[in-house]
Amino acid sequence: MPSPDLSPEPTPTLPSVVAPKGGAIVALDRSFVDEITAIRHDLHAHPELGLAEYRTSDKVAAFLESYGIEVHRGLAGTGVVGVLRCGQSDHMIGLRADMDALPLTEMNGFPHRSQIPGCMHACGHDGHTAMLLGAAKKLAETRHFNGTVVFIFQPAEETVGGARIMIEEGFLEQFQIESVYGIHNWPGLPLGQIAVHSGPVMACADAIDITVRGHGAHAAMPHQGNDVILAASHLVTALQAVSARATDPLEALVVSITRFHAGEAYNILPEEARLGGTVRAFSVALQDQAEALLTRICAGIGTAFGVQITLEYRRGYPPTLNDPAAAESCAKIAETVFGKSQVRRDLQPSMGSEDFAYFLRERPGCYVWLGNGPGEGGCTLHNPHYDFNDSAIPYGIRYWVALAETLLPAS
Ligand SMILES: [Zn+2]
Ligand SMILES: [Zn+2]
């Protein structure tokens, strides 16, 4: 996992925002949208897990080449990067899509359902990949910008953080993007709407492992040992004081214990209990505070119950923090595509997490939520009935194209 140090980097100058040329929204005819929809269906039918997106990676590279876009492969294994230059400007932006699916058996019955048992695009990354391909194709055709657009197709958003691996393997040295942008489809947000957050949009996802060790004993004679189950139970309760009593209630923090394993028999007090869980927050300062408080409470409960408690606190995906200036630009651009009333600036951030955070830790940028509509029965992400909404495809492509044409304006 990367260093937890999120001290701000010097912020590169973002290209100034002007209205898209002529205020025009890129034209997408029916056959163009159908072509991208067919790509989306093909990707949906052939999902692949993180770092194993071999077919997807081959397909993406082949499409980019067919559009006349320079293709780079190999970062994070299956990562694909497309580079499209136009004009003389040195400005360079990154547009990112994730390509991986989830270890889940699809329960849908439509023709493009997953052909792979135990693997499914239940987070809509098939839609993200297809929309970015659509934008790449359209921008390669129209070339109505001045600068370089870097199309980032990254693996393994769901698991190990493909974004982090690409960065560690030198993505930012190889492609000197000044700013970076991401889209995630968002069920529950109406189709035709987009949500733009200034600042936090997704939380960090830290993992905790706690081991409680004591002296085993006969269950009928507990005074002869140190009951680790009792100590661990108190610990679960006490840890809730971290968010309820020890940190600012106006700052969102979740501490969830999700695993509790101890004992095997009715008449034996075990020697060891193991707990696991997660911590979610929107700031590194709060992550630091939570880690310190968890450490203190573990030590205190250990002393109180005469048991040894070890805490392993591992930093996972960092908080996803949009750059306020970039968010402002994206919201203005989105108004031209979606209409002013359809750009939501008032949604609460999510306590979920997202590895786009690694890009945003290195470069200013903005990660937006694209309305996917209510879905069948209010179906949510990571559900075996989920499907990306094809009707969102033109919105996503238009947003990407408007972003490139506005941030890299043709003279
Ligand atoms: Zn997901
Ligand atoms: Zn996702």
Side-chain angles (χ1 to χ4, degrees):
M1 280 293 153
S3 153
D5 176 20
L6 295 194
S7 52
E9 298 279 326
T11 304
T13 316
L14 287 169
S16 61
V17 174
V18 296
K21 239 184 155 19
I25 301 168
V26 68
L28 300 176
D29 60 35
R30 191 67 249 169
S31 67
F32 186 96
V33 174
D34 287 348
E35 181 185 325
I36 301 303
T37 304
I39 293 174
R40 209 282 288 177
H41 288 182
D42 176 68
L43 295 174
H44 191 93
H46 301 93
E48 294 170 301
L49 295 178
L51 301 181
E53 305 93 338
Y54 305 113
R55 180 185 184 276
T56 309
S57 176
D58 287 347
K59 288 267 176 192
V60 167
F63 282 123
L64 291 174
E65 271 165 18
S66 75
Y67 306 154
I69 291 174
E70 183 184 308
V71 174
H72 300 257
R73 303 189 67 177
L75 281 174
T78 48
V80 185
V81 179
V83 177
L84 182 64
R85 294 185 189 85
C86 200
Q88 302 301 313
S89 167
D90 291 334
H91 285 302
M92 188 182 289
I93 61 170
L95 311 181
R96 171 273 206 173
D98 38 15
M99 302 188 292
D100 56 321
L102 286 157
L104 191 66
T105 295
E106 180 152 7
M107 304 292 279
N108 291 311
F110 45 60
H112 64 273
R113 69 185 176 278
S114 171
Q115 303 300 304
I116 316 290
C119 190
M120 175 193 174
H121 270 296
C123 205
H125 299 183
D126 48 339
H128 303 166
T129 300
M131 289 191 299
L132 191 56
L133 283 171
K137 183 174 192 201
K138 188 47 83 174
L139 285 164
E141 281 172 13
T142 55
R143 306 181 74 83
H144 220 92
F145 64 95
N146 185 15
T148 303
V149 182
V150 177
F151 303 97
I152 309 164
F153 295 88
Q154 71 142 88
E157 190 287 319
E158 298 285 1
T159 48
V160 292
R164 173 180 57 81
I165 300 170
M166 288 183 87
I167 292 167
E168 285 173 0
E169 292 184 359
F171 170 80
L172 291 167
E173 288 73 40
Q174 206 177 335
F175 307 97
Q176 311 241 325
I177 57 170
E178 298 154 293
S179 54
V180 66
Y181 303 87
I183 292 178
H184 205 293
N185 71 105
W186 209 252
L189 186 64
L191 182 71
Q193 289 195 4
I194 186 170
V196 185
H197 296 78
S198 188
V201 52
M202 308 285 282
C204 73
D206 294 341
I208 50 177
D209 280 298
I210 298 170
T211 306
V212 182
R213 286 195 189 85
H215 213 75
H218 194 297
M221 291 155 251
H223 61 290
Q224 293 177 352
N226 309 95
D227 184 353
V228 295
I229 292 179
L230 182 64
S233 301
H234 275 272
L235 185 57
V236 171
T237 309
L239 290 179
Q240 289 311 308
V242 172
S243 54
R245 285 296 175 268
T247 55
D248 186 340
L250 293 178
E251 283 202 67
L253 175 69
V254 174
V255 178
S256 286
I257 297 299
T258 57
R259 297 164 56 186
F260 191 131
H261 298 293
E264 290 172 77
Y266 290 104
N267 58 355
I268 300 170
L269 291 168
E271 299 252 320
E272 186 177 281
R274 283 178 290 117
L275 311 181
T278 186
V279 173
R280 306 295 173 112
F282 292 117
S283 78
V284 179
L286 197 51
Q287 280 176 284
D288 292 344
Q289 198 185 354
E291 182 174 356
L293 288 164
L294 260 67
T295 304
R296 193 177 81 192
I297 291 171
C298 284
I301 295 285
T303 302
F305 288 84
V307 294
Q308 289 84 48
I309 302 183
T310 55
L311 166 71
E312 190 188 340
Y313 190 105
R314 294 191 307 281
R315 305 278 169 141
Y317 292 177
T320 302
L321 305 174
N322 283 343
D323 176 78
E328 206 53 46
S329 300
C330 288
K332 276 190 197 149
I333 293 162
E335 284 178 10
T336 69
V337 175
F338 294 80
K340 196 168 181 149
S341 63
Q342 303 302 299
V343 180
R344 300 288 300 272
R345 304 300 309 275
D346 58 344
L347 293 194
Q348 296 280 5
S350 164
M351 296 309 286
S353 68
E354 160 64 55
D355 85 341
F356 189 70
Y358 289 107
F359 285 116
L360 287 177
R361 204 161 73 164
E362 303 293 334
R363 292 291 182 274
C366 183
Y367 171 88
V368 297
W369 295 342
L370 179 66
N372 202 63
E376 196 77 15
C379 190
T380 57
L381 296 171
H382 292 209
N383 182 288
H385 294 280
Y386 194 68
D387 193 29
F388 181 89
N389 188 340
D390 287 326
S391 299
I393 288 176
Y395 290 102
I397 296 174
R398 287 193 179 105
Y399 171 73
W400 277 141
V401 171
L403 202 67
E405 292 182 351
T406 310
L407 296 177
L408 303 171
S411 49

